[in-house]
Amino acid sequence: MPHDASRYLAEGPRVGIRPFTQEDGAEFTARARESKDLHHPWLFPPLTAQAYTAYAGRLIEDPGRAGFLVCEKHDGAIAGFININNIVEGGFQSGALGYGAFAHAAGRGLMSEGLDLVVRYAFGPLRLHRLEINVQPRNTASIALARGCGFRLEGFSPKMLFVDGAWRDHERWAITAEMVRRPGRH
């Protein structure tokens, strides 16, 4: 799909972020199937049209979630996805991030650029104050992404989430709006 800047909520030098649409199902599921080895055992994005329809529908319709596709600007290809789940307003103004790169984009810095855009969008138009990422301790790529985008390690939660058939330990990484606005932070 050719680059169409009007579709993006925010853009960096190489990627733009945009909301999920139902029309993205074929490309998303094809890339998810190509990326099964990269994702296992950390995450399990939808692999079929039916699963994608339900998944994207929740991200599109649920006000407690916001889903973003990270797309390469030169051709519009989906490089990965970043979701803000469990958005709580009021005094908390917080959400929990989940994300995944697709195999063709892994290791190219596209997700770092995309995560920076989502963080700024969350602290700007979405008016959130805090974002948290929960990562299994052996998921070194995900931890490197969180650290590289300015998230700080805040703690460890034993048997926090049920993933791949078992309750798994997770590290808690977080960033606040003040950390992004700090001088020297891009």
Side-chain angles (χ1 to χ4, degrees):
M1 161 181 302
H3 169 59
D4 178 0
S6 66
R7 297 183 68 194
Y8 295 127
L9 300 169
E11 289 185 71
R14 297 181 299 153
V15 303
I17 58 168
R18 64 177 178 81
F20 277 73
T21 70
Q22 291 296 349
E23 293 75 25
D24 294 308
E27 181 183 358
F28 188 98
T29 56
R31 295 203 184 278
R33 288 189 300 272
E34 293 166 359
S35 305
K36 281 175 66 173
D37 290 342
L38 175 67
H39 293 158
H40 188 267
W42 317 117
L43 74 151
F44 301 88
L47 302 176
T48 67
Q50 182 178 9
Y52 177 85
T53 297
Y55 176 80
R58 288 188 299 272
L59 291 168
I60 293 166
E61 296 167 15
D62 184 347
R65 299 175 190 222
F68 304 91
L69 295 172
V70 178
C71 301
E72 296 184 69
K73 285 174 47 177
H74 74 278
D75 64 1
I78 300 172
F81 56 97
I82 302 170
N83 301 329
I84 307 175
N85 299 298
N86 306 322
I87 295 173
V88 179
E89 296 179 341
F92 202 43
Q93 294 299 114
S94 182
L97 290 175
Y99 48 76
F102 290 126
H104 76 282
R108 295 174 44 208
L110 302 176
M111 289 301 290
S112 292
E113 190 176 320
L115 184 55
D116 276 339
L117 293 171
V118 169
V119 166
R120 292 180 183 289
Y121 189 81
F123 293 154
L126 294 181
R127 298 180 12 184
L128 296 180
H129 176 259
R130 174 187 164 84
L131 294 170
E132 185 170 304
I133 299 170
N134 296 294
V135 183
Q136 292 179 54
R138 290 187 5 236
N139 189 343
T140 56
S142 187
I143 290 170
L145 178 59
R147 181 182 287 122
C149 288
F151 285 73
R152 67 177 172 227
L153 178 62
E154 290 192 336
F156 179 81
S157 298
K159 301 190 184 304
M160 179 182 183
L161 292 173
F162 195 76
V163 179
D164 196 29
W167 289 98
R168 308 286 180 186
D169 299 342
H170 281 71
E171 292 180 359
R172 291 186 321 278
W173 292 78
I175 194 168
T176 64
E178 293 84 2
M179 293 167 66
V180 172
R181 294 184 191 124
R182 196 174 60 210
R185 173 89 179 116
H186 61 298

PDB file of all heavy atoms in Angstrom, residues 1-24:
ATOM      1  N   MET A   1       0.851  -1.173   0.000  1.00  0.00           N
ATOM      2  CA  MET A   1       0.000   0.000   0.000  1.00  0.00           C
ATOM      3  C   MET A   1       0.893   1.231   0.000  1.00  0.00           C
ATOM      4  O   MET A   1       1.792   1.342   0.832  1.00  0.00           O
ATOM      5  CB  MET A   1      -0.878  -0.046   1.257  1.00  0.00           C
ATOM      6  CG  MET A   1      -1.480   1.262   1.646  1.00  0.00           C
ATOM      7  SD  MET A   1      -2.475   1.113   3.144  1.00  0.00           S
ATOM      8  CE  MET A   1      -3.650  -0.096   2.650  1.00  0.00           C
ATOM      9  N   PRO A   2       0.704   2.185  -0.877  1.00  0.00           N
ATOM     10  CA  PRO A   2       1.532   3.382  -0.922  1.00  0.00           C
ATOM     11  C   PRO A   2       1.363   4.228   0.333  1.00  0.00           C
ATOM     12  O   PRO A   2       0.332   4.194   0.978  1.00  0.00           O
ATOM     13  CB  PRO A   2       1.017   4.146  -2.149  1.00  0.00           C
ATOM     14  CG  PRO A   2       0.155   3.202  -2.895  1.00  0.00           C
ATOM     15  CD  PRO A   2      -0.267   2.119  -1.954  1.00  0.00           C
ATOM     16  N   HIS A   3       2.401   4.960   0.639  1.00  0.00           N
ATOM     17  CA  HIS A   3       2.386   5.855   1.789  1.00  0.00           C
ATOM     18  C   HIS A   3       1.304   6.918   1.611  1.00  0.00           C
ATOM     19  O   HIS A   3       1.213   7.562   0.585  1.00  0.00           O
ATOM     20  CB  HIS A   3       3.763   6.499   1.938  1.00  0.00           C
ATOM     21  CG  HIS A   3       3.803   7.632   2.907  1.00  0.00           C
ATOM     22  ND1 HIS A   3       3.454   7.471   4.217  1.00  0.00           N
ATOM     23  CD2 HIS A   3       4.133   8.926   2.756  1.00  0.00           C
ATOM     24  CE1 HIS A   3       3.585   8.645   4.838  1.00  0.00           C
ATOM     25  NE2 HIS A   3       3.994   9.535   3.972  1.00  0.00           N
ATOM     26  N   ASP A   4       0.481   7.080   2.625  1.00  0.00           N
ATOM     27  CA  ASP A   4      -0.579   8.095   2.624  1.00  0.00           C
ATOM     28  C   ASP A   4      -0.532   8.787   3.987  1.00  0.00           C
ATOM     29  O   ASP A   4      -1.075   8.274   4.966  1.00  0.00           O
ATOM     30  CB  ASP A   4      -1.940   7.441   2.381  1.00  0.00           C
ATOM     31  CG  ASP A   4      -3.094   8.426   2.420  1.00  0.00           C
ATOM     32  OD1 ASP A   4      -2.848   9.637   2.631  1.00  0.00           O
ATOM     33  OD2 ASP A   4      -4.242   7.987   2.262  1.00  0.00           O
ATOM     34  N   ALA A   5       0.150   9.903   4.068  1.00  0.00           N
ATOM     35  CA  ALA A   5       0.365  10.603   5.328  1.00  0.00           C
ATOM     36  C   ALA A   5      -0.933  10.935   6.044  1.00  0.00           C
ATOM     37  O   ALA A   5      -0.972  11.011   7.267  1.00  0.00           O
ATOM     38  CB  ALA A   5       1.180  11.879   5.107  1.00  0.00           C
ATOM     39  N   SER A   6      -2.022  11.116   5.312  1.00  0.00           N
ATOM     40  CA  SER A   6      -3.280  11.468   5.961  1.00  0.00           C
ATOM     41  C   SER A   6      -3.803  10.335   6.834  1.00  0.00           C
ATOM     42  O   SER A   6      -4.642  10.562   7.694  1.00  0.00           O
ATOM     43  CB  SER A   6      -4.327  11.852   4.912  1.00  0.00           C
ATOM     44  OG  SER A   6      -4.658  10.722   4.121  1.00  0.00           O
ATOM     45  N   ARG A   7      -3.300   9.134   6.646  1.00  0.00           N
ATOM     46  CA  ARG A   7      -3.748   7.990   7.439  1.00  0.00           C
ATOM     47  C   ARG A   7      -3.041   7.908   8.786  1.00  0.00           C
ATOM     48  O   ARG A   7      -3.479   7.179   9.666  1.00  0.00           O
ATOM     49  CB  ARG A   7      -3.498   6.698   6.674  1.00  0.00           C
ATOM     50  CG  ARG A   7      -4.281   6.625   5.377  1.00  0.00           C
ATOM     51  CD  ARG A   7      -4.069   5.317   4.701  1.00  0.00           C
ATOM     52  NE  ARG A   7      -4.675   4.268   5.499  1.00  0.00           N
ATOM     53  CZ  ARG A   7      -4.452   2.976   5.331  1.00  0.00           C
ATOM     54  NH1 ARG A   7      -3.634   2.572   4.392  1.00  0.00           N
ATOM     55  NH2 ARG A   7      -5.033   2.077   6.077  1.00  0.00           N
ATOM     56  N   TYR A   8      -1.923   8.612   8.947  1.00  0.00           N
ATOM     57  CA  TYR A   8      -1.123   8.466  10.154  1.00  0.00           C
ATOM     58  C   TYR A   8      -1.530   9.453  11.243  1.00  0.00           C
ATOM     59  O   TYR A   8      -1.795  10.615  10.975  1.00  0.00           O
ATOM     60  CB  TYR A   8       0.369   8.634   9.831  1.00  0.00           C
ATOM     61  CG  TYR A   8       0.891   7.548   8.921  1.00  0.00           C
ATOM     62  CD1 TYR A   8       1.565   7.866   7.758  1.00  0.00           C
ATOM     63  CD2 TYR A   8       0.700   6.209   9.229  1.00  0.00           C
ATOM     64  CE1 TYR A   8       2.043   6.867   6.918  1.00  0.00           C
ATOM     65  CE2 TYR A   8       1.172   5.210   8.389  1.00  0.00           C
ATOM     66  CZ  TYR A   8       1.840   5.543   7.239  1.00  0.00           C
ATOM     67  OH  TYR A   8       2.290   4.553   6.411  1.00  0.00           O
ATOM     68  N   LEU A   9      -1.518   8.955  12.472  1.00  0.00           N
ATOM     69  CA  LEU A   9      -1.760   9.805  13.641  1.00  0.00           C
ATOM     70  C   LEU A   9      -0.496  10.567  14.009  1.00  0.00           C
ATOM     71  O   LEU A   9      -0.565  11.653  14.569  1.00  0.00           O
ATOM     72  CB  LEU A   9      -2.216   8.947  14.819  1.00  0.00           C
ATOM     73  CG  LEU A   9      -3.505   8.161  14.596  1.00  0.00           C
ATOM     74  CD1 LEU A   9      -3.713   7.154  15.719  1.00  0.00           C
ATOM     75  CD2 LEU A   9      -4.684   9.108  14.483  1.00  0.00           C
ATOM     76  N   ALA A  10       0.643   9.955  13.729  1.00  0.00           N
ATOM     77  CA  ALA A  10       1.954  10.566  13.988  1.00  0.00           C
ATOM     78  C   ALA A  10       2.958   9.890  13.067  1.00  0.00           C
ATOM     79  O   ALA A  10       2.790   8.730  12.691  1.00  0.00           O
ATOM     80  CB  ALA A  10       2.354  10.386  15.448  1.00  0.00           C
ATOM     81  N   GLU A  11       4.008  10.632  12.711  1.00  0.00           N
ATOM     82  CA  GLU A  11       5.032  10.111  11.814  1.00  0.00           C
ATOM     83  C   GLU A  11       6.423  10.417  12.332  1.00  0.00           C
ATOM     84  O   GLU A  11       6.662  11.463  12.923  1.00  0.00           O
ATOM     85  CB  GLU A  11       4.928  10.781  10.434  1.00  0.00           C
ATOM     86  CG  GLU A  11       3.738  10.386   9.635  1.00  0.00           C
ATOM     87  CD  GLU A  11       3.795  10.997   8.252  1.00  0.00           C
ATOM     88  OE1 GLU A  11       4.647  10.563   7.442  1.00  0.00           O
ATOM     89  OE2 GLU A  11       2.998  11.904   7.988  1.00  0.00           O
ATOM     90  N   GLY A  12       7.330   9.487  12.071  1.00  0.00           N
ATOM     91  CA  GLY A  12       8.745   9.688  12.301  1.00  0.00           C
ATOM     92  C   GLY A  12       9.446   9.637  10.956  1.00  0.00           C
ATOM     93  O   GLY A  12       8.786   9.624   9.917  1.00  0.00           O
ATOM     94  N   PRO A  13      10.762   9.559  10.961  1.00  0.00           N
ATOM     95  CA  PRO A  13      11.496   9.521   9.692  1.00  0.00           C
ATOM     96  C   PRO A  13      11.163   8.307   8.822  1.00  0.00           C
ATOM     97  O   PRO A  13      11.086   8.413   7.607  1.00  0.00           O
ATOM     98  CB  PRO A  13      12.964   9.489  10.120  1.00  0.00           C
ATOM     99  CG  PRO A  13      12.975  10.048  11.499  1.00  0.00           C
ATOM    100  CD  PRO A  13      11.652   9.682  12.114  1.00  0.00           C
ATOM    101  N   ARG A  14      10.954   7.130   9.463  1.00  0.00           N
ATOM    102  CA  ARG A  14      10.749   5.908   8.677  1.00  0.00           C
ATOM    103  C   ARG A  14       9.390   5.244   8.847  1.00  0.00           C
ATOM    104  O   ARG A  14       9.003   4.421   8.022  1.00  0.00           O
ATOM    105  CB  ARG A  14      11.838   4.888   9.011  1.00  0.00           C
ATOM    106  CG  ARG A  14      13.230   5.397   8.639  1.00  0.00           C
ATOM    107  CD  ARG A  14      14.307   4.379   8.949  1.00  0.00           C
ATOM    108  NE  ARG A  14      14.300   4.094  10.381  1.00  0.00           N
ATOM    109  CZ  ARG A  14      14.705   2.956  10.924  1.00  0.00           C
ATOM    110  NH1 ARG A  14      15.147   1.980  10.168  1.00  0.00           N
ATOM    111  NH2 ARG A  14      14.685   2.776  12.227  1.00  0.00           N
ATOM    112  N   VAL A  15       8.680   5.559   9.940  1.00  0.00           N
ATOM    113  CA  VAL A  15       7.386   4.911  10.183  1.00  0.00           C
ATOM    114  C   VAL A  15       6.320   5.933  10.548  1.00  0.00           C
ATOM    115  O   VAL A  15       6.624   7.046  10.980  1.00  0.00           O
ATOM    116  CB  VAL A  15       7.455   3.831  11.298  1.00  0.00           C
ATOM    117  CG1 VAL A  15       8.489   2.765  10.980  1.00  0.00           C
ATOM    118  CG2 VAL A  15       7.701   4.444  12.669  1.00  0.00           C
ATOM    119  N   GLY A  16       5.090   5.503  10.364  1.00  0.00           N
ATOM    120  CA  GLY A  16       3.933   6.236  10.852  1.00  0.00           C
ATOM    121  C   GLY A  16       3.086   5.271  11.664  1.00  0.00           C
ATOM    122  O   GLY A  16       3.177   4.051  11.482  1.00  0.00           O
ATOM    123  N   ILE A  17       2.298   5.810  12.585  1.00  0.00           N
ATOM    124  CA  ILE A  17       1.369   4.966  13.346  1.00  0.00           C
ATOM    125  C   ILE A  17      -0.045   5.333  12.944  1.00  0.00           C
ATOM    126  O   ILE A  17      -0.353   6.498  12.678  1.00  0.00           O
ATOM    127  CB  ILE A  17       1.562   5.090  14.872  1.00  0.00           C
ATOM    128  CG1 ILE A  17       1.383   6.533  15.353  1.00  0.00           C
ATOM    129  CG2 ILE A  17       2.918   4.516  15.287  1.00  0.00           C
ATOM    130  CD1 ILE A  17       1.277   6.699  16.857  1.00  0.00           C
ATOM    131  N   ARG A  18      -0.889   4.309  12.867  1.00  0.00           N
ATOM    132  CA  ARG A  18      -2.285   4.528  12.535  1.00  0.00           C
ATOM    133  C   ARG A  18      -3.130   3.495  13.252  1.00  0.00           C
ATOM    134  O   ARG A  18      -2.621   2.458  13.691  1.00  0.00           O
ATOM    135  CB  ARG A  18      -2.498   4.473  11.033  1.00  0.00           C
ATOM    136  CG  ARG A  18      -2.209   3.146  10.385  1.00  0.00           C
ATOM    137  CD  ARG A  18      -2.538   3.193   8.897  1.00  0.00           C
ATOM    138  NE  ARG A  18      -2.240   1.961   8.212  1.00  0.00           N
ATOM    139  CZ  ARG A  18      -3.014   0.882   8.199  1.00  0.00           C
ATOM    140  NH1 ARG A  18      -4.161   0.881   8.859  1.00  0.00           N
ATOM    141  NH2 ARG A  18      -2.665  -0.195   7.527  1.00  0.00           N
ATOM    142  N   PRO A  19      -4.433   3.764  13.367  1.00  0.00           N
ATOM    143  CA  PRO A  19      -5.305   2.789  14.034  1.00  0.00           C
ATOM    144  C   PRO A  19      -5.468   1.513  13.213  1.00  0.00           C
ATOM    145  O   PRO A  19      -5.295   1.516  11.987  1.00  0.00           O
ATOM    146  CB  PRO A  19      -6.647   3.517  14.131  1.00  0.00           C
ATOM    147  CG  PRO A  19      -6.382   4.941  13.814  1.00  0.00           C
ATOM    148  CD  PRO A  19      -5.131   4.984  13.001  1.00  0.00           C
ATOM    149  N   PHE A  20      -5.816   0.454  13.875  1.00  0.00           N
ATOM    150  CA  PHE A  20      -6.212  -0.786  13.214  1.00  0.00           C
ATOM    151  C   PHE A  20      -7.488  -0.531  12.416  1.00  0.00           C
ATOM    152  O   PHE A  20      -8.326   0.287  12.818  1.00  0.00           O
ATOM    153  CB  PHE A  20      -6.559  -1.862  14.259  1.00  0.00           C
ATOM    154  CG  PHE A  20      -5.387  -2.598  14.813  1.00  0.00           C
ATOM    155  CD1 PHE A  20      -4.513  -1.987  15.705  1.00  0.00           C
ATOM    156  CD2 PHE A  20      -5.180  -3.928  14.487  1.00  0.00           C
ATOM    157  CE1 PHE A  20      -3.453  -2.683  16.249  1.00  0.00           C
ATOM    158  CE2 PHE A  20      -4.114  -4.632  15.017  1.00  0.00           C
ATOM    159  CZ  PHE A  20      -3.254  -4.011  15.902  1.00  0.00           C
ATOM    160  N   THR A  21      -7.648  -1.232  11.319  1.00  0.00           N
ATOM    161  CA  THR A  21      -8.918  -1.280  10.595  1.00  0.00           C
ATOM    162  C   THR A  21      -9.200  -2.745  10.284  1.00  0.00           C
ATOM    163  O   THR A  21      -8.273  -3.579  10.270  1.00  0.00           O
ATOM    164  CB  THR A  21      -8.899  -0.482   9.273  1.00  0.00           C
ATOM    165  OG1 THR A  21      -8.059  -1.160   8.333  1.00  0.00           O
ATOM    166  CG2 THR A  21      -8.420   0.949   9.474  1.00  0.00           C
ATOM    167  N   GLN A  22     -10.440  -3.059  10.012  1.00  0.00           N
ATOM    168  CA  GLN A  22     -10.780  -4.432   9.624  1.00  0.00           C
ATOM    169  C   GLN A  22     -10.119  -4.784   8.288  1.00  0.00           C
ATOM    170  O   GLN A  22      -9.784  -5.936   8.055  1.00  0.00           O
ATOM    171  CB  GLN A  22     -12.299  -4.617   9.567  1.00  0.00           C
ATOM    172  CG  GLN A  22     -12.970  -4.575  10.930  1.00  0.00           C
ATOM    173  CD  GLN A  22     -12.544  -5.708  11.862  1.00  0.00           C
ATOM    174  OE1 GLN A  22     -11.887  -6.678  11.488  1.00  0.00           O
ATOM    175  NE2 GLN A  22     -12.911  -5.574  13.128  1.00  0.00           N
ATOM    176  N   GLU A  23      -9.896  -3.790   7.440  1.00  0.00           N
ATOM    177  CA  GLU A  23      -9.290  -4.032   6.124  1.00  0.00           C
ATOM    178  C   GLU A  23      -7.836  -4.477   6.214  1.00  0.00           C
ATOM    179  O   GLU A  23      -7.272  -4.966   5.233  1.00  0.00           O
ATOM    180  CB  GLU A  23      -9.394  -2.774   5.252  1.00  0.00           C
ATOM    181  CG  GLU A  23     -10.815  -2.414   4.850  1.00  0.00           C
ATOM    182  CD  GLU A  23     -11.651  -1.792   5.973  1.00  0.00           C
ATOM    183  OE1 GLU A  23     -11.078  -1.196   6.925  1.00  0.00           O
ATOM    184  OE2 GLU A  23     -12.883  -1.927   5.924  1.00  0.00           O
ATOM    185  N   ASP A  24      -7.201  -4.337   7.365  1.00  0.00           N
ATOM    186  CA  ASP A  24      -5.803  -4.743   7.538  1.00  0.00           C
ATOM    187  C   ASP A  24      -5.651  -6.229   7.822  1.00  0.00           C
ATOM    188  O   ASP A  24      -4.526  -6.728   7.931  1.00  0.00           O
ATOM    189  CB  ASP A  24      -5.164  -3.957   8.692  1.00  0.00           C
ATOM    190  CG  ASP A  24      -5.054  -2.483   8.400  1.00  0.00           C
ATOM    191  OD1 ASP A  24      -4.507  -2.138   7.333  1.00  0.00           O
ATOM    192  OD2 ASP A  24      -5.526  -1.672   9.230  1.00  0.00           O
TER     193      ASP A  24
END
